[in-house]
Amino acid sequence: MASGQQVAVYGAYGHTGRFVVAELRERGFSPVLSGRDAAELEALARETGAQARPASADDAAALDRALAGASAVVNCAGPFAVTAAPVIEAALRAGIPYLDVAAEIEANADTFERFAERALEAETVVVPAMAFFGGLGDLLVTAAMGGRTAADEVHVAYGLSSWHPTAGTRTAGAVSRQRRDGRRVVRTGGRLEYRADEPPTLEWRFPAPLGPRTVIGEFTMADVVTVPSHLSVPEVRTYMTADAARDIASPRTPPPAAADPSGRSDQTFLVDVVARSGSEEWRAVARGRDIYAVTAPLVVEALERVLTGRAETYGFVSAGEAFDAPDFLRALSAHLTVELPS
């Protein structure tokens, strides 16, 4: 279907970027490797046979060369507070779609605000946070609501068996903490609010096989930006299993280790979404393995739908607005097990 279309991957040599490159090749695309480290790119080029085009995020001319002839660009290079805006600018100059895998809350909020009008004017598609955090939750919420456009509250609970963070995750987290001056962020009353107190600890009743688990409440992820970007939901709360929260907080937790030839780790996840309006409640669940590896089929499925005219709108849009959410989730049956309302 892709017939060798070129797709630029910025940050191609990173942990998630490598999964994205592999997924693109599996689907018949021709990835063009880009990023800041020329040596890393050349090593990956020798490994994959793909073309390498080094480019620093602060070098507009180099970014333009990296995207030349590409049908789209996927940005996998964090911190996205640094890379998102210049790579989006380059995509707009090239007149091609842009997708990223950003989980940084403020970076996503900033790019929505900065590029919404320009993406509409360019009649192109810009999809941020098309990843495990942000994109998957948004698709599940949209599917659970079954065409409804408003709810009183949305809850997204992440049941991770463990969380071994990549170097990129740690760097992005440090940038976010510095930007917030050490405070945490929640979305309430239709806006982001910063707090200095400790988040609550409570119990969440996950579906089988997890069951009741202790979670950190108000463990805020990118869903608080993606979901309200197209659905009228004043309260969006996200939760994380306490064990996984301790993993990500500890500097001693090692990065993910490959458990099979594909490079996937053995870490599993269950995402439980609940939307409520008055006395009504709607639920959707996704189960799978490796939060970083599953980002690749998520973003490449989105890319393929954009390039084949199956995005439902254009402009700066989140996953749930851009795509038929139930159909999109079911298309990933090789990577996700989903339970959606009938």
Side-chain angles (χ1 to χ4, degrees):
M1 183 182 293
S3 64
Q5 279 181 291
Q6 288 191 335
V7 174
V9 182
Y10 194 73
Y13 49 79
H15 186 84
T16 302
R18 286 175 173 269
F19 283 119
V20 171
V21 169
E23 183 73 17
L24 286 168
R25 296 177 71 199
E26 177 71 21
R27 295 195 184 210
F29 290 98
S30 178
V32 175
L33 315 177
S34 190
R36 294 160 285 203
D37 192 318
E40 290 278 6
L41 286 172
E42 288 300 332
L44 184 58
R46 288 192 297 271
E47 179 185 328
T48 61
Q51 183 181 3
R53 298 179 187 173
S56 175
D58 60 2
D59 187 338
L63 285 173
D64 288 345
R65 290 193 294 271
L67 271 56
S71 298
V73 58
V74 179
N75 184 4
C76 301
F80 292 89
V82 174
T83 68
V87 181
I88 293 172
E89 293 277 11
L92 290 175
R93 289 194 298 272
I96 61 175
Y98 166 98
L99 301 91
D100 71 34
V101 297
E104 298 164 35
I105 297 163
E106 289 85 2
N108 284 316
D110 287 351
T111 50
F112 262 113
E113 182 176 349
R114 180 172 175 180
F115 292 102
E117 287 189 15
R118 291 180 59 192
L120 275 174
E121 290 169 0
E123 296 186 359
T124 192
V125 179
V126 177
V127 186
M130 193 59 244
F132 178 78
F133 292 117
L136 178 57
D138 187 33
L139 288 164
L140 288 167
V141 171
T142 306
M145 291 178 61
R148 301 171 185 86
T149 59
D152 296 333
E153 57 191 52
V154 160
H155 303 266
V156 183
Y158 289 99
L160 274 58
S161 62
S162 60
W163 189 353
H164 289 245
T166 64
T169 295
R170 290 207 181 277
T171 300
V175 169
S176 292
R177 284 191 298 275
Q178 183 177 24
R179 182 168 180 171
R180 299 172 193 165
D181 195 24
R183 297 171 296 170
R184 63 189 184 87
V185 61
V186 299
R187 183 178 178 89
T188 184
R191 63 185 180 87
L192 295 179
E193 181 178 296
Y194 292 85
R195 298 176 178 174
D197 61 342
E198 292 295 318
T201 300
L202 47 93
E203 183 180 85
W204 185 271
R205 294 184 175 275
F206 287 96
L210 285 187
R213 293 295 175 100
T214 300
V215 298
I216 304 301
E218 299 177 0
F219 193 97
T220 307
M221 303 306 292
D223 314 84
V224 302
V225 177
T226 56
V227 171
S229 72
H230 67 106
L231 298 172
S232 179
V233 185
E235 302 290 326
V236 181
R237 300 294 174 92
T238 57
Y239 310 81
M240 180 65 65
T241 41
D243 289 346
R246 283 191 289 269
D247 285 342
I248 190 70
S250 172
R252 295 185 298 275
T253 303
D260 64 28
S262 75
R264 293 194 308 167
S265 74
D266 59 5
Q267 300 169 87
T268 60
F269 62 81
L270 188 156
V271 184
D272 187 22
V273 162
V274 178
R276 297 191 181 105
S277 187
S279 60
E280 293 186 273
E281 179 177 293
W282 313 286
R283 196 168 200 160
V285 179
R287 298 175 177 82
R289 175 181 158 199
D290 194 326
I291 66 174
Y292 297 105
V294 79
T295 287
L298 280 163
V299 72
V300 176
E301 177 70 20
L303 169 76
E304 189 168 302
R305 288 176 181 240
V306 168
L307 293 179
T308 54
R310 289 181 289 159
E312 298 189 340
T313 185
Y314 60 85
F316 204 106
V317 291
S318 63
E321 183 178 10
F323 309 110
D324 179 332
D327 182 69
F328 189 109
L329 291 165
R330 292 186 181 110
L332 297 179
S333 60
H335 309 279
L336 288 171
T337 301
V338 296
E339 298 173 13
L340 306 178
S342 55

